[in-house]
Amino acid sequence: MRALSNFIGGNFVAPKSGEYLDVFEPATGSPHARVPASGPADIDAAVAAADAAFPAWSATSTEQRGRLLNRLADEIDKRLDDLAHAETTDTGKPISLARRVDIPRAAANFRYFAGAIQHTTGEFFETDQPAVGAPLHAMNYTLRRPRGVAGLISPWNLPLYLLSWKIAPAIATGNTCVCKPSEVTPTTAAMLGELCQSAGIPPGVINIVHGAGQAAGGSLVTHPRVPAISFTGSTAVGRWIGEQAGRSLKRVSLELGGKNPMVIFEDADYEEALSTCLRAGLSNQGQICLCASRILVHRTIFDRFVRDLVARVKELRCADPAHESAAFGAITSRAQLDKITRIVNDARSLGATIHCGGRSPDVSSLPARCKGGYFFEPTVMTGLDAACSVEQEEIFGPVLSLTPFDTEDEAVRLANATSYGLAASVFTRDLARAHRVSDRLASGIVWVNCWMVRDLRTPFGGAKASGVGREGGSEALRFFTEPKNVCVRLE
Ligand code: NAD
C-alpha cells in the first residue's frame, strides 16, 4: 500500500514518529494508502521551514508571485486526470464531478489570486483637522503586509479545492504556509507537493503536514510562530480553534457547518426549482457545505413538488464512483455513513415520512468491488417539526427534508430557524420579493433562482454558527495581511 509523505521545506519526508494512519477508499471500504500520523515535532519542522522561507518570499515582487501561482495552476491542469482519480478514490465522489468541478476549480483558485494581487488598491485619507492647539494638514495611507506563517486546515469533502482556496490568497499576499489537509482524504494534497516542485515554488513556501485533527491540526493551531489560522470544517472544531485563538490573540477565519434552506414560492419557475433542488441537495452525495437540506415549499405546490422530486431522486442510483457514467457515489467515510444513518433513524422515530431512500442500498445492486463500500441511498422525507433535532443538526449527506409554508413571513421564519447561517436559495419570479426575502434571510450567501453560482471576488462564508470572517476576493487578501496606517505631516 502506498505511503504518503509530509512535504516540508521542499522535501518529501516521513513523520518523525514513523507512524501512519490508514486511508480508506469509500467505494470499497478497504484501505488504499497510508498517511503520516504527524504530531507536534512534524508541525515544528514545517513551521521552521515556513519561517525560514518567509523573508525572501514576502520580498518577492507581486508579478513574480503571480507568475508562480499561475504555473502551479498549469501543473494542476496537466495532472487533471491523475488528480481526479485520486480525489475519487479518497472521497467516493463521481469521477466526472472531480474532473469537471473540483480539480479545475482548484486551478482556478490559483489563477484568480495570481491576478487579484496585481490589481489591489490601497487606502488614502487626507486630514485637515486641527491638532491640539494648531491646524494640521496630514496624509494617511494604509500599508498591508503579510502576517508570516499561515496555518491552513481543510476538510474532506472538496479536499484540493478547499485547500487551494486557502493556499492561493495566503502565498499570493507574501505569507508562507503550513497546511493540514484532512487525514480522511489526503492524496491530492500529497500530490500538490509534487506540483509545487515542478512549478518552481521555492522550498518552504508551501508545507504540507498530514495527520489526525488534534495531534497535527491542534499543534498547528497552538503553535506560537503561526499568527493566522484559516480553518474550514465542523462547527465543533471551529469553536475549539476560536477559543485557542482567543487566548493567543491569533487571527482566525472559520468556515463551518450549515443547514441550508431553499425557499420555493408558488410563482417560481417550477422546472428550474425542481432540477436545482435535486442538484443543490444531492451533489457530491449532499456533502458540500453549501448543499440545501431544508426545502421549504409553498403549500399550494407542495404535494406536487414532493411527488416530482421523489420521482427524480429515485432515478439516481448508487454507483461505483470510478465509473465515468456514475452520477451518485459513496459517502466519504464510515463515520459519516454512520452519522447519516443515525439521523435518518432519528427522523423515523420522530414520525417523518421517508418517501425514498433512508437506508444503504442492497449490496446485490452494487458492482462486486463496491460491496463493502459506504453507500447511502438519496433520501426525501417530510413531516418533521422545524424545532426537532433532525431539522437542527447538520447531516452533511444525501437527505432532503421538505416542509410546506403558507406565507412569506412563515418561510423566512422557518428558513432562519436554525443556529446555522451559511447559504440559502430563493425561487420566485417576483423581483421585489426576491430582494426583500434575500435581505431577511440570516445567511452569509443567498442565491436567487440559482444555486452555487460562484464569483471568486465575492465574500464567501457564513453567519451565526456557520463561521467567523469571510473568504473570497478582497476578504481573503485582507485576512492574510496586517494593516498598518502611516500618518505623514504635510506642513
Ligand atoms: P472536521 O472539523 O472534523 O475536520 C476539519 C479539519 O480539521 C480536518 O483536517 C481535521 O483533521 C482538522 N481537525 C480536527 N480536529 C482538530 C483540532 N482539534 N485542531 C485542529 N484541526 C483539527 O470537519 P470534517 O468532518 O473534515 O468536514 C466536514 C465539515 O466541514 C462539515 O461541518 C461541513 O459543513 C464543513 N465545511 C464547511 C465549509 C465552509 O466553507 N463553510 C466547506 C466545507 C466543509
Side-chain angles (χ1 to χ4, degrees):
M1 211 166 15
R2 183 178 171 209
L4 305 178
S5 303
N6 290 331
F7 183 65
I8 297 178
N11 300 309
F12 288 99
V13 293
K16 291 193 190 292
S17 66
E19 286 172 16
Y20 290 80
L21 306 167
D22 281 342
V23 183
F24 292 84
E25 179 176 8
T28 63
S30 306
H32 74 92
R34 293 187 316 143
V35 65
S38 309
D42 304 286
I43 292 287
D44 259 349
V47 173
D51 230 357
F54 177 70
W57 179 248
S58 55
T60 307
S61 70
T62 47
E63 191 189 356
Q64 174 64 359
R65 274 187 258 137
R67 197 175 297 136
L68 286 167
L69 263 75
N70 276 325
R71 268 197 222 151
L72 192 47
D74 293 344
E75 294 300 318
I76 292 174
D77 285 347
K78 282 188 213 158
R79 300 278 302 275
L80 172 67
D81 250 7
D82 294 347
L83 287 163
H85 273 104
E87 175 116 341
T88 289
T89 307
D90 270 3
T91 63
K93 75 180 55 182
I95 180 91
S96 60
L97 189 68
R99 193 180 285 127
R100 204 181 60 243
V101 180
D102 297 49
I103 308 304
R105 284 195 177 193
N109 286 340
F110 285 109
R111 290 208 173 89
Y112 170 75
F113 283 105
I117 49 163
Q118 315 304 326
H119 307 287
T120 51
T121 52
E123 284 170 336
F124 161 79
F125 304 94
E126 192 173 352
T127 305
D128 59 359
Q129 292 154 3
V132 185
L136 186 73
H137 189 197
M139 174 183 82
N140 288 276
Y141 59 89
T142 308
L143 297 170
R144 300 202 73 98
R145 293 292 177 252
R147 295 186 187 280
V149 179
L152 312 177
I153 304 176
S154 55
W156 46 256
N157 60 327
L158 304 161
L160 188 63
Y161 172 71
L162 288 173
L163 191 59
S164 60
W165 182 232
K166 297 181 184 303
I167 296 175
I171 66 168
T173 47
N175 301 277
T176 55
C177 64
V178 176
C179 309
K180 211 304 278 173
S182 171
E183 65 278 26
V184 180
T185 55
T187 311
T188 48
M191 292 169 76
L192 188 65
E194 297 163 24
L195 306 184
C196 288
Q197 286 179 330
S198 35
I201 303 289
V205 171
I206 298 176
N207 304 277
I208 301 166
V209 180
H210 299 278
Q214 187 61 46
S219 310
L220 183 57
V221 167
T222 53
H223 199 289
R225 296 290 302 160
V226 178
I229 297 287
S230 174
F231 170 81
T232 299
S234 63
T235 296
V237 175
R239 279 209 176 91
W240 181 81
I241 292 175
E243 284 166 18
Q244 304 310 308
R247 282 196 197 118
S248 53
L249 300 178
K250 285 181 200 263
R251 304 302 182 261
V252 280
S253 164
L254 304 174
E255 293 295 341
L256 311 177
K259 188 78 178 171
N260 307 314
M262 174 175 278
V263 184
I264 301 167
F265 285 97
E266 67 284 10
D267 65 343
D269 178 331
Y270 186 86
E271 261 311 308
E272 189 64 37
L274 188 63
S275 55
T276 308
C277 179
L278 196 72
R279 211 163 43 82
L282 301 175
S283 291
N284 199 27
Q285 297 72 249
Q287 301 170 120
I288 302 176
C289 56
L290 305 170
C291 274
S293 57
R294 295 179 300 130
I295 315 302
L296 310 173
V297 185
H298 194 267
R299 195 177 298 278
T300 52
I301 56 169
F302 185 76
D303 290 343
R304 179 181 165 214
F305 195 88
V306 173
R307 195 181 57 240
D308 292 345
L309 183 66
V310 169
R312 296 271 189 101
V313 170
K314 280 182 173 168
E315 287 168 11
L316 272 181
R317 300 237 177 274
C318 296
D320 185 342
H323 281 180
E324 294 297 334
S325 61
F328 191 85
I331 303 301
T332 300
S333 68
R334 162 62 64 188
Q336 189 59 21
L337 176 65
D338 291 347
K339 180 183 177 195
I340 296 166
T341 308
R342 171 186 56 81
I343 297 180
V344 172
N345 285 338
D346 287 352
R348 264 195 198 95
S349 46
L350 286 166
T353 303
I354 311 289
H355 296 266
C356 60
R359 60 189 175 92
S360 290
D362 188 338
V363 285
S364 65
S365 67
L366 296 168
R369 85 172 196 109
C370 295
K371 296 210 184 301
Y374 314 140
F375 291 90
F376 197 88
E377 290 182 355
T379 301
V380 177
M381 58 190 187
T382 56
L384 287 169
D385 187 276
C388 78
S389 59
V390 173
E391 290 291 79
Q392 294 296 318
E393 186 180 357
E394 180 185 45
I395 303 176
F396 217 53
V399 182
L400 290 164
S401 173
L402 284 81
T403 304
F405 67 85
D406 290 298
T407 63
E408 185 179 307
D409 279 352
E410 188 186 10
V412 170
R413 183 180 61 71
L414 289 170
N416 289 343
T418 76
S419 58
Y420 292 106
L422 183 53
S425 297
V426 181
F427 279 79
T428 179
R429 286 191 171 104
D430 179 336
L431 185 62
R433 175 155 67 186
H435 287 291
R436 193 168 58 235
V437 171
S438 301
D439 190 26
R440 294 177 69 195
L441 291 173
S443 183
I445 301 163
V446 180
W447 283 292
V448 177
N449 296 328
C450 58
W451 175 74
M452 214 164 88
V453 178
R454 291 279 297 114
D455 182 323
L456 302 186
R457 293 168 296 185
T458 59
F460 176 92
K464 301 195 285 183
S466 290
V468 173
R470 292 289 184 276
E471 296 186 345
S474 55
E475 303 281 340
L477 298 176
R478 281 173 176 265
F479 174 74
F480 285 111
T481 52
E482 183 77 32
K484 178 196 291 179
N485 193 70
V486 180
C487 178
V488 182
R489 183 176 178 161
L490 292 177
E491 56 188 41

